[in-house]
Amino acid sequence: MNDDIRAREVRLVGPESEQLGIKPIREALQMAIDANMDLVNVAPQAKPPVCRIMDYGKFRYEQQKKDKEARKNQKIVDLKEVWFRSNIDEHDYQTKLRNVIKFIGEGDKVKASVRYRGREIAHAAVGQRVLERLLTEVNDICNVERLPKLEGRSMIMILAPKNNN
């Protein structure tokens, strides 16, 4: 920017994006000073480098506003966890199913887990059937990111919302 540009000549772009041609750096800098603006190197790797006459402070302010607006509109995907038991009752299952549907509807990923206690681990297939039943009931609104897998004393499955683009 301004005096930090080290090229002998630059391709100059005016304040309204008009091409002013290739100019010596001193002449380009003087044109920027006369316009009460800054000379900004926008493409230093080009031959010759491309410089633009602009109000750099105003440009940075508008760029920060755009970045803030983009951050405000982005969705942060959380990983919500829902615990099941291998011998879960029907009503409890339906309640947890409603929570899974709500979380996926909000755009969050869901980690569905079956926790085994004591000797329940010997009958891991019972817990796997619970997760497979959950998968068949929410298959139309989500994708399986990770199939049910036994990790320690828990069987874990991760569900992600489908992209409706």
Side-chain angles (χ1 to χ4, degrees), residues 2-3 24-34 37 39:
N2 292 337
D3 294 326
I25 187 67
R26 297 251 182 252
E27 185 180 335
L29 196 53
Q30 188 59 46
M31 290 174 74
I33 292 170
D34 292 343
M37 294 187 175
L39 185 66

Side-chain angles (χ1 to χ4, degrees), residues 10-23 27-42 49-56 59:
V10 294
R11 182 175 305 276
L12 192 59
V13 179
E16 280 80 42
S17 299
E18 70 274 7
Q19 296 290 328
L20 301 177
I22 297 175
K23 306 273 186 191
E27 185 180 335
L29 196 53
Q30 188 59 46
M31 290 174 74
I33 292 170
D34 292 343
N36 200 19
M37 294 187 175
D38 299 307
L39 185 66
V40 180
N41 196 348
V42 293
V50 179
C51 291
R52 182 169 182 187
I53 297 174
M54 68 167 74
D55 185 352
Y56 188 68
F59 170 76

